[in-house]
Amino acid sequence: NRTKSGFLWSYIGSLFILFICFVSVHEKSFPKKAVPIQVHSASHVQQQSFSKTNYGELNNFAQEKEESFSCQNLGFFTIQRQYICLFTSPVFVMFLGEPNMNANLFPSEPIPTLIAIVVDFSSPRIPFPPSVFLQPSLQALIWNESHYGTIPSQIGTLTSLFFLFLTHSFEDQFGTIPSELASLQALSNLALYANRFNGSLPSELGAVSSLAEFDIGENSLYGTLPSQYGALLNLKRFSVVNNDLTGSLPSQLGQLMNLKQLLLYKCKFSGKLPSELGLLTGLLLLQIYENNLNGPIPSQLGNMHGLKELNFGQNQFSGTIPSQLALLQFTAIDFSENQFSGYIPPQLLNIPNINITCINSGLLDPRCNPNQDDTFVSSSVTTAIIVVAGFLMLIIFLIG
């Protein structure tokens, strides 16, 4: 009796230990919080500089805000050490961060050889002085964090303008993008990002065939993307990011054969992705994340032989991943936060050094469902523990 009683208590103790092991292991299998998607823009892709004379350096200066800049270092004339430089042959006026900027500092009459005006970090901010629009030879106008008010329609009179850079400036009131910009038929670089523009995009800008860079990101623009922009055949970089633009993407985007970067993320675009985008064989970067795009991924995207980075994240795409994408030499591709089905094509997984993100994408690959991996591992461990515990119980029974 004493032997049977000892065996009974040993059996009960073994069951208790088995229960504790089972619970502790399965705690790791309980549902976890969703892994937050990390969407990274491909900011390391170098933006090309499309300079006509020396505007590439001028643009870099405006963006990098080099405090060490000195007019005297370039052999120019400095007025009161306020970084107001007057060039002679040709005349070139620069206003750089002058602390008491006012409209009276601008030339009050036309200067035939004035080719560029730069206003950078002016305090207080000023509107465009009327005399700016009297300069018949002006080719570059850079106004960085310095302006308030709207863009006057008179800007259309600057028909020699090649470089228009108005950024981080219009914080005091909303304004619209004037259709008169379409009169600037020499314009190559149009940068109007990070202002407070609202209204719709002027379809007339589709007639400015000289445009090579078009950036109107970080504004409050609404309406649709004009199909007329498909006529901008010299365009190399096109960005409308972080606006309230809606509607479907026009198929005419497939006509932009010289395009290198197409940035359409953080808007409200809907509908299917145009298969015509597959015609952009020289495109390097396509980012369309955080929209309402749906339907399958067109297999024609496999024709974009130059594509290096592609981000589908946070849309409503569905269907399987076309195997044609494996023909491209990606460095990064993001399928996250969609409604795909099936598996990632094995050929795509075999691309050397590719970075694939697919959390919450609907894809069945283990890398896309880390919680399922944990459950599988936990279940395997649980099974092993049960087998071992059963074996120990058998030994105890035989000994007893």
Side-chain angles (χ1 to χ4, degrees):
N1 293 334
R2 193 174 295 176
T3 301
K4 290 183 178 178
S5 176
F7 170 74
L8 179 62
W9 284 110
S10 298
Y11 186 81
I12 292 174
S14 299
L15 287 177
F16 179 74
I17 293 173
L18 180 61
F19 175 76
I20 295 298
C21 293
F22 182 82
V23 171
S24 63
V25 170
H26 271 269
E27 270 188 329
K28 299 179 181 179
S29 302
F30 293 157
K32 299 180 179 180
K33 293 182 179 179
V35 179
I37 180 174
Q38 298 292 330
V39 178
H40 301 286
S41 61
S43 57
H44 62 275
V45 176
Q46 185 176 4
Q47 298 180 10
Q48 298 187 20
S49 176
F50 312 107
S51 58
K52 186 175 182 181
T53 55
N54 202 26
Y55 298 145
E57 296 179 9
L58 194 62
N59 185 23
N60 291 336
F61 169 75
Q63 294 188 39
E64 296 172 7
K65 311 168 188 62
E66 299 178 6
E67 296 180 358
S68 60
F69 178 83
S70 170
C71 302
Q72 291 180 337
N73 292 341
L74 300 176
F76 304 133
F77 180 64
T78 305
I79 302 176
Q80 298 177 356
R81 297 183 180 179
Q82 295 175 338
Y83 293 112
I84 301 176
C85 311
L86 177 62
F87 290 55
T88 58
S89 184
V91 174
F92 187 135
V93 176
M94 300 180 71
F95 300 95
L96 304 173
E98 203 278 321
N100 296 306
M101 181 68 67
N102 61 75
N104 295 328
L105 295 174
F106 287 81
S108 58
E109 57 186 20
I111 302 177
T113 53
L114 177 60
I115 63 171
I117 296 177
V118 178
V119 181
D120 193 42
F121 288 99
S122 169
S123 178
R125 296 172 182 247
I126 59 173
F128 286 115
S131 58
V132 169
F133 307 109
L134 300 176
Q135 309 306 325
S137 302
L138 197 65
Q139 296 179 23
L141 180 58
I142 297 179
W143 219 281
N144 184 48
E145 295 198 27
S146 305
H147 186 274
Y148 74 86
T150 59
I151 299 180
S153 59
Q154 292 94 320
I155 198 162
T157 63
L158 302 177
T159 53
S160 297
L161 205 62
F162 173 85
F163 191 101
L164 180 57
F165 188 94
L166 308 176
T167 64
H168 300 91
S169 295
F170 302 84
E171 296 183 357
D172 296 310
Q173 67 183 65
F174 290 92
T176 58
I177 298 177
S179 59
E180 285 79 4
L181 288 175
S183 299
L184 309 181
Q185 289 297 308
L187 196 62
S188 177
N189 293 60
L190 176 61
L192 302 176
Y193 59 83
N195 295 294
R196 297 183 68 184
F197 290 124
N198 63 6
S200 58
L201 285 169
S203 60
E204 292 86 351
L205 290 178
V208 187
S209 58
S210 56
L211 271 178
E213 180 166 352
F214 189 171
D215 190 338
I216 53 169
E218 307 285 341
N219 283 291
S220 300
L221 298 166
Y222 53 81
T224 59
L225 194 60
S227 60
Q228 290 85 344
Y229 291 0
L232 300 175
L233 302 183
N234 290 308
L235 206 58
K236 292 181 173 63
R237 183 175 184 273
F238 183 52
S239 172
V240 296
V241 306
N242 203 4
N243 278 286
D244 295 323
L245 298 171
T246 57
S248 58
L249 297 175
S251 60
Q252 288 81 357
L253 289 176
Q255 300 172 11
L256 305 177
M257 303 302 295
N258 289 308
L259 204 59
K260 301 299 181 184
Q261 298 183 26
L262 181 57
L263 310 177
L264 307 171
Y265 59 88
K266 290 188 177 181
C267 292
K268 298 177 181 178
F269 293 121
S270 59
K272 292 182 169 64
L273 198 62
S275 60
E276 288 81 0
L277 291 181
L279 299 173
L280 304 179
T281 55
L283 194 68
L284 299 175
L285 174 62
L286 175 59
Q287 293 191 332
I288 53 177
Y289 62 86
E290 289 192 44
N291 280 289
N292 298 313
L293 297 168
N294 56 52
I297 300 299
S299 60
Q300 289 85 346
L301 296 191
N303 298 325
M304 304 168 75
H305 304 300
L307 199 59
K308 299 300 181 185
E309 298 197 17
L310 176 56
N311 195 328
F312 295 115
Q314 293 176 274
N315 280 283
Q316 300 173 30
F317 289 118
S318 59
T320 58
I321 305 300
S323 59
Q324 289 84 350
L325 291 183
L327 300 174
L328 309 180
Q329 293 301 310
F330 286 112
T331 58
I333 188 168
D334 193 332
F335 299 113
S336 299
E337 301 285 343
N338 278 287
Q339 302 169 17
F340 292 114
S341 57
Y343 291 86
I344 298 175
Q347 303 95 322
L348 191 59
L349 297 173
N350 292 333
I351 296 177
N353 302 318
I354 188 173
N355 180 16
I356 298 178
T357 307
C358 56
I359 301 298
N360 298 328
S361 62
L363 294 169
L364 301 177
D365 297 73
R367 70 172 64 204
C368 307
N369 302 280
N371 291 340
Q372 290 183 11
D373 287 349
D374 292 343
T375 301
F376 175 77
V377 172
S378 298
S379 299
S380 300
V381 173
T382 301
T383 302
I385 291 176
I386 291 174
V387 171
V388 172
F391 182 72
L392 291 174
M393 290 170 59
L394 178 61
I395 293 176
I396 293 172
F397 177 77
L398 294 175
I399 293 176

